[in-house]
Amino acid sequence: MRKVTLLLLCIFITALNSFAGGYQVGLHSTRNIGMGLIGTSLSYDASALFYNPGGAPFIDSKFSISGGATFLMARATYQSQDQVYQEHMNHDMNYPFYFYFAYKPIKDLSIGLAVNTPYGLSMSWPDTWQGRYLIQSVKFSAVTIQPTVSYKFKDIVGIGAGFVISYGNVTLSKAVPISGSGNTDGQANIKGSTVKYGYNIGVMVHPIKKLSLGIDYRSRIDMAVKDAKAEFTVPVSVATKFPNMNVDVTLPLPANLDFGISYEIGEKWMIGLGLNYVFWNVYDSLAFDFKTPTPNTTSVASHQASAKLYTNRLITRLGAQYKINPMFTVRAGGYYDPTPIPSDRLDPMLPGSNEIGLTCGLSIYPTKGLSIDASFEYLMGSERSGISSPDENGSHNFAGTYSTVFYMPGIGLTYNF
Amino acid sequence: MKKIFLILLSLAFFTACERKIDTFTVSSGTANFKKYISIGNSLVAGYADGALYTTGQKYSTPNLIAGQLQLAGSGAFVQPMVKSEYGVDFPGSAYRLVLGPSTDCKGVTSLGPVPLIGAKDPLLPNVGYAVNNFGVPGAKSFHMLAPHYGDPALLALGKANPYFCRFAQTAASSVLQDAMAASATFFTMQLGDNDVLSYALSGGMDTITSPAFFGTVMGGVLQGLTSNHAQGVIANIPDVTSIPFFTTVPYNGLVLARQSLVDSVNYAMSVFHLPFTYHLGQNPFLIPDPTSVLPFKVRQMVAGELVLLTVPQDSMKCYGMGIVRAIPPQLPYPIPKQFILTLEDIAKLKTATAAYNEIIKGLAANFKLGLVDLNTRMNELQSGIVWDGIALNAQFVTGGAFSLDGIHLNPRGCALSANFFIDAINKQYGSTIPFVDITKYPGVIFP
């Protein structure tokens, strides 16, 4: 009961601001989520394959399996800056998941496989809402598979590298401001998928047994979806001007440079700090290149083709873990994630603001080595005002205020044997 | 088990809540919107698609402004409603245009503006009620002061305006008298466009009101409207030559697709002793030039000159208008001047418009009224703007803002224009009147 109280307490103290930076999800291990999403210096289980391949050989068992999912619920409200208009985002649910398997054939060598969803974005607004010409719904997900090899030297330095295969999938729909009889709107739907490659390399150092340092670099992935299908529904008299066609969608996934340090205090406590530098500036644009463009399709795409001009950001994370007894371990943490999105590119497709996340977690060990993991992450959004594109030359593109919150309960299983 | 219930319960509690944001606060500032009227020309009346009809009036810029002012306590806004979707019936009146297929002289069917034939609303009797919208299609600045401007007895003489006949309070009324009788607390005015536009629409045949007279008249109208201390905003005059009515047909729209055609045209010109050379592709049209020393007193159009949207397309496509008459006598066939604006005409229009706008700016300051800089706004529309995700420009049909007559705005354009007025009102009076949601209003309707 006390743990539940702890859990609820950590939910309630979060009278803080904010919301998700970009479309990097960060929910890759229920245990680590509980500790403010740190992980670069940790090697308790197979999630190290993703957080820092250099840590995998330090896992204290021959086999480690970890899997789970998060129930990502977003609530957002939009208030127009200059109109009597307010709208709520649809209650979509997203399920970022992970599965890791690490195996040590010999003491210092680890091989493993990581499967997870490091990037994703899925949100929708009511089809007839005021921002429908900007976005009705967007769903973007990248599932990655990462075979990994790691080696450690003398229980002090571990190095590891993984080859990242990323399957990206994008669907997007928006209304087209072409009026048909009965004042109906046109409609544009874009859908496509692709497979791209990258890498993940890391080093972990234990200068003394209780202290762990980690550094990890995950490469950028140019998620270019060639030949996605674009379909337009417009009045029949202009259908030839909006032919269904192939479209190239470019959505670069940013590189990450992570640094982590953690220390075990006695047998029960562990505290850690993580720094996560995200190279957002690759997200110059979510570009749509129509293969057989007409002036009409170009104008439909012009909104997305405009530069997003994100800047690189540093996320700071803090987390702690406390072993109450062999059966229960509790965790708590938090982080600050400044938004990479400038206020004159604040778009209903991704209305981000600076984010403070508070997290907590619990593991129950029914038997040694096996844990049932639970976590809860709470990001409460401060209000952020902005406009979808700069007010230039008389344009006035969707100025408003967004307020967003995320609720992210997660569950998982970990088995070290 | 109890723990899990507690967790689920707390989750349900959180996820049920929507995020709260303060809603928009409407305020009047220093303005009194209690009784709002609008005064001016067709742009005020809700004229669109070449006619005044019910739906066009519902989407009139002042009616949309009124809807927003009502959120700040303004009263009902009454318009002299036309009871037809086809237009008002009087000699020479046109049917409303809609997009539809039509077949040209070459048998080619294409999508374009076509008249929507149906029962127009009879011009008379007068609507018989007091109105708030004093927009009179066709009215120039000085017409506001003209007595008997809505006198049906003078219609046949051309001394009265048919649209004002529909709602003039008495046969002897001037528009200004009726507007003043409304005792408004607030007004918007869009007047003076026709003082240049009618010259432009006639291909330079009509007269341009002299700026001096314009100033006197506009001053008089504003004196009358503000005599009871009414507040308001007035719009200046956009560059009329930038509207689709003048920018759609290119000066060099004569397309010669085959070399044999080019050769025969060049041969014909040599026969006519005209020093014009033609090439494959686009060539300038021929127009009359009374000052020319050349035979036939014609010349080729030059870049910057404009062809009116109403130029007879079939005459150009099949009968040689703009080059050589296709049927005997096969002589040079210039486009009649009434469909052309020459560089000289355009310069006159621009000079007058600039002078008018200086006057309007001065009057707005003198009468402490807000100024709606429609001239700048329409220039911005030329190069294209994005408003709440809708890309708009001043192109005919595809631009999304103008109606099918190429002169007046469509509902979406009217909503945009209403926002320009609201912006000026808020700036002048420190009010917070919300913008019109332009995404609620249709553009050109495609079949």
Side-chain angles (χ1 to χ4, degrees):
Chain A
M1 194 58 217
R2 215 172 76 210
K3 292 108 222 169
V4 178
T5 315
L6 259 173
L7 213 90
L8 290 176
L9 196 69
C10 99
I11 295 166
F12 278 114
I13 53 174
T14 55
L16 292 167
N17 54 4
S18 205
F19 164 45
Y23 49 87
Q24 182 160 289
V25 179
L27 304 165
H28 310 305
S29 158
T30 303
R31 288 177 168 187
N32 292 1
I33 292 166
M35 298 183 284
L37 284 64
I38 61 168
T40 314
S41 62
L42 304 183
S43 54
Y44 294 123
D45 59 62
S47 66
L49 293 169
F50 172 79
Y51 285 95
N52 183 350
F58 292 102
I59 298 168
D60 62 4
S61 61
K62 197 171 177 67
F63 293 92
S64 177
I65 302 173
S66 186
T70 308
F71 304 89
L72 195 164
M73 290 167 274
R75 296 287 178 272
T77 300
Y78 167 78
Q79 167 65 47
S80 172
Q81 177 191 292
D82 34 41
Q83 293 168 50
V84 183
Y85 182 82
Q86 193 168 95
E87 189 55 87
H88 303 297
M89 198 167 76
N90 290 341
H91 293 183
D92 296 319
M93 176 96 92
N94 287 281
Y95 308 95
F97 64 89
Y98 62 90
F99 171 79
Y100 307 109
F101 172 73
Y103 166 56
K104 288 203 290 189
I106 57 171
K107 181 175 172 287
D108 290 328
L109 176 73
S110 164
I111 56 171
L113 186 73
V115 180
N116 65 8
T117 51
Y119 309 92
L121 163 67
S122 172
M123 54 174 62
S124 65
W125 297 85
D127 277 353
T128 55
W129 87 300
Q130 201 184 83
R132 63 191 178 279
Y133 302 124
L134 293 103
I135 196 70
Q136 287 168 318
S137 73
V138 58
K139 192 168 180 65
F140 165 73
S141 66
V143 177
T144 70
I145 298 172
Q146 180 197 315
T148 311
V149 179
S150 323
Y151 191 79
K152 77 177 191 308
F153 304 91
K154 295 180 183 299
D155 290 340
I156 294 174
V157 178
I159 55 165
F163 177 63
V164 173
I165 306 156
S166 190
Y167 170 77
N169 193 327
V170 63
T171 62
L172 181 146
S173 62
K174 61 194 283 187
V176 178
I178 300 281
S179 311
S181 47
N183 299 356
T184 53
D185 276 326
Q187 179 71 38
N189 296 311
I190 293 170
K191 184 195 282 199
S193 60
T194 192
V195 175
K196 295 286 167 181
Y197 308 99
Y199 60 89
N200 181 359
I201 51 172
V203 178
M204 190 176 286
V205 182
H206 287 274
I208 54 171
K209 194 169 181 306
K210 301 272 188 182
L211 180 67
S212 173
L213 299 151
I215 187 161
D216 179 68
Y217 180 77
R218 289 191 304 284
S219 71
R220 159 189 181 167
I221 299 173
D222 284 313
M223 194 54 83
V225 182
K226 292 273 176 209
D227 292 339
K229 303 283 178 248
E231 290 183 356
F232 298 95
T233 309
V234 291
V236 61
S237 62
V238 285
T240 56
K241 296 191 183 335
F242 288 88
N244 292 344
M245 65 179 74
N246 289 346
V247 54
D248 289 349
V249 183
T250 313
L251 183 75
L253 308 181
N256 281 256
L257 180 64
D258 296 352
F259 172 78
I261 179 166
S262 54
Y263 188 72
E264 287 177 345
I265 305 167
E267 293 298 311
K268 291 180 177 287
W269 282 94
M270 187 280 291
I271 54 168
L273 165 79
L275 296 174
N276 179 200
Y277 192 73
V278 190
F279 296 84
W280 276 115
N281 70 351
V282 300
Y283 191 32
D284 291 334
S285 60
L286 168 51
F288 291 83
D289 296 321
F290 289 94
K291 285 303 182 57
T292 45
T294 70
N296 309 293
T297 50
T298 310
S299 82
V300 171
S302 64
H303 166 67
Q304 272 85 7
S306 63
K308 294 284 182 193
L309 302 173
Y310 285 17
T311 47
N312 293 340
R313 293 296 159 145
L314 180 70
I315 307 170
T316 311
R317 307 177 186 282
L318 274 173
Q321 168 173 285
Y322 178 67
K323 286 178 191 161
I324 298 170
N325 56 39
M327 202 171 161
F328 292 107
T329 297
V330 291
R331 305 181 181 90
Y335 65 88
Y336 177 66
D337 184 355
T339 180
I341 305 169
S343 66
D344 62 359
R345 310 279 169 188
L346 192 64
D347 191 290
M349 193 156 92
L350 193 61
S353 66
N354 294 335
E355 155 186 309
I356 289 177
L358 285 200
T359 73
C360 51
L362 168 74
S363 283
I364 303 168
Y365 290 81
T367 64
K368 189 168 158 31
L370 175 70
S371 75
I372 300 159
D373 310 316
S375 66
F376 190 79
E377 177 176 355
Y378 183 58
L379 295 179
M380 191 173 120
S382 65
E383 289 184 7
R384 187 169 191 220
S385 299
I387 190 159
S388 204
S389 55
D391 263 346
E392 286 165 352
N393 184 46
S395 288
H396 187 64
N397 197 10
F398 216 63
T401 302
Y402 299 85
S403 175
T404 310
V405 67
F406 280 80
Y407 306 94
M408 292 172 272
I411 52 160
L413 276 176
T414 304
Y415 190 33
N416 286 1
F417 56 101
Chain B
M1 213 50 212
K2 210 168 109 194
K3 294 172 189 174
I4 294 166
F5 270 132
L6 262 169
I7 294 170
L8 289 178
L9 203 71
S10 65
L11 282 181
F13 170 75
F14 281 118
T15 54
C17 313
E18 293 289 2
R19 304 301 299 153
K20 294 245 184 333
I21 310 183
D22 289 343
T23 50
F24 189 95
T25 313
V26 181
S27 70
S28 297
T30 57
N32 177 0
F33 301 118
K34 198 166 172 17
K35 177 147 190 193
Y36 163 58
I37 64 162
S38 58
I39 184 166
N41 49 39
S42 53
L43 299 164
V44 175
Y47 197 95
D49 301 314
L52 190 66
Y53 62 95
T54 312
T55 306
Q57 285 181 298
K58 277 203 311 214
Y59 292 132
S60 74
T61 298
N63 198 36
L64 301 186
I65 296 169
Q68 303 305 100
L69 296 184
Q70 279 156 9
L71 300 172
S74 194
F77 189 76
V78 179
Q79 303 194 94
M81 292 308 290
V82 173
K83 293 197 220 60
S84 163
E85 293 290 2
Y86 305 94
V88 178
D89 198 12
F90 58 88
S93 73
Y95 289 104
R96 160 199 181 181
L97 299 168
V98 292
L99 268 190
S102 62
T103 306
D104 67 10
C105 55
K106 292 188 164 171
V108 178
T109 301
S110 61
L111 190 69
V114 293
L116 184 68
I117 311 293
K120 292 183 202 161
D121 196 19
L123 181 62
L124 295 171
N126 184 296
V127 294
Y129 48 78
V131 300
N132 295 61
N133 189 340
F134 296 90
V136 181
K140 295 185 181 184
S141 58
F142 50 86
H143 288 139
M144 294 293 115
L145 306 172
H148 289 278
Y149 192 54
D151 186 347
L154 300 180
L155 263 180
L157 300 171
K159 301 259 184 214
N161 180 304
Y163 294 100
F164 188 43
C165 290
R166 298 184 59 253
F167 66 92
Q169 293 299 294
T170 67
S173 292
S174 72
V175 181
L176 181 63
Q177 275 171 359
D178 280 6
M180 286 170 68
S183 305
T185 62
F186 197 86
F187 67 92
T188 59
M189 183 165 104
Q190 198 169 4
L191 182 64
D193 304 81
N194 286 328
D195 296 62
V196 273
L197 185 63
S198 64
Y199 175 86
L201 294 178
S202 64
M205 302 294 182
D206 200 357
T207 50
I208 294 177
T209 309
S210 81
F213 186 47
F214 180 86
T216 309
V217 167
M218 293 291 273
V221 172
L222 290 176
Q223 187 72 53
L225 289 173
T226 56
S227 58
N228 68 340
H229 307 293
Q231 300 161 310
V233 295
I234 60 174
N236 63 9
I237 315 291
D239 174 8
V240 295
T241 60
S242 65
I243 61 178
F245 190 84
F246 300 104
T247 58
T248 304
V249 183
Y251 80 98
N252 60 349
L254 175 69
V255 179
L256 299 177
R258 296 188 313 276
Q259 188 58 41
S260 58
L261 213 54
V262 175
D263 294 342
S264 56
V265 170
N266 282 331
Y267 174 73
M269 289 299 156
S270 70
V271 171
F272 301 142
H273 298 287
L274 289 172
F276 307 136
T277 320
Y278 289 79
H279 312 277
L280 265 185
Q282 289 195 304
N283 293 276
F285 289 116
L286 277 191
I287 57 168
D289 183 2
T291 64
S292 175
V293 295
L294 295 171
F296 305 102
K297 291 199 177 296
V298 292
R299 68 172 174 90
Q300 287 187 313
M301 291 186 81
V302 296
E305 294 187 320
L306 303 171
V307 184
L308 276 54
L309 189 62
T310 41
V311 69
Q313 290 287 340
D314 277 0
S315 298
M316 297 207 297
K317 283 179 189 162
C318 297
Y319 302 101
M321 182 188 277
I323 179 163
V324 178
R325 200 177 287 275
I327 47 172
Q330 287 175 302
L331 295 175
Y333 186 9
I335 297 176
K337 178 65 181 78
Q338 71 197 81
F339 300 114
I340 299 297
L341 288 179
T342 62
L343 290 180
E344 200 185 339
D345 299 332
I346 293 164
K348 280 185 196 164
L349 286 165
K350 285 190 193 283
T351 305
T353 304
Y356 292 177
N357 284 343
E358 274 306 305
I359 290 164
I360 289 171
K361 195 173 158 190
L363 289 172
N366 285 350
F367 287 97
K368 296 189 170 55
L369 300 169
L371 177 68
V372 188
D373 190 359
L374 280 187
N375 185 31
T376 300
R377 300 281 91 83
M378 288 295 148
N379 275 336
E380 290 164 344
L381 186 66
Q382 284 289 307
S383 44
I385 66 166
V386 180
W387 197 287
D388 288 354
I390 306 176
L392 296 160
N393 62 48
Q395 295 282 307
F396 190 48
V397 182
T398 57
F402 281 88
S403 76
L404 294 170
D405 58 29
I407 300 167
H408 302 93
L409 298 168
N410 66 30
R412 197 172 275 161
C414 286
L416 189 65
S417 175
N419 286 343
F420 297 152
F421 276 86
I422 289 167
D423 196 36
I425 291 170
N426 287 338
K427 285 204 170 82
Q428 181 72 18
Y429 296 103
S431 51
T432 52
I433 302 299
F435 278 166
V436 175
D437 175 0
I438 87 161
T439 71
K440 281 208 263 181
Y441 298 91
V444 168
I445 303 283
F446 289 86

